Amino acid sequence: MPIVQVHLLEGREEKDIKNMLLEVTEAISNSLHVEKERVRIIVNEVPSSHWGIAGVSKKEIDIDKVNKK
């Protein structure tokens, strides 16, 4: 049974995540030749304050971009 973990920044539309679940399930099922019912997907939505890029949180980066405009 394949288990896939997807980490995303929070804030996406529920319909987009639902679509991603369908498409990832399809891709895993086809590439690994397993039934779709055996595919498990765990979606972890991470707050931008907990997502680091080069030692700085995504939230801080976004604030800096707004302030520079």
Side-chain angles (χ1 to χ4, degrees):
M1 165 181 25
I3 301 172
V4 178
Q5 287 192 12
V6 178
H7 298 271
L8 301 169
L9 284 168
E10 67 182 358
R12 297 185 191 270
E13 298 282 331
E14 188 173 333
K15 65 179 174 62
D16 294 333
I17 292 182
K18 186 175 181 178
N19 185 57
M20 182 269 303
L21 292 172
L22 291 170
E23 292 195 24
V24 169
T25 297
E26 187 74 27
I28 295 296
S29 175
N30 290 338
S31 62
L32 297 179
H33 310 289
V34 298
E35 297 172 349
K36 292 177 189 176
E37 295 76 20
R38 299 194 48 79
V39 177
R40 304 293 186 264
I41 302 172
I42 301 165
V43 178
N44 296 299
E45 291 188 275
V46 180
S48 62
S49 61
H50 294 119
W51 190 284
I53 302 168
V56 180
S57 75
K58 176 77 166 86
K59 183 177 183 176
E60 290 176 279
I61 292 169
D62 292 343
I63 291 170
D64 286 347
K65 284 181 183 178
V66 169
N67 289 336
K68 288 181 181 179
K69 288 184 179 179

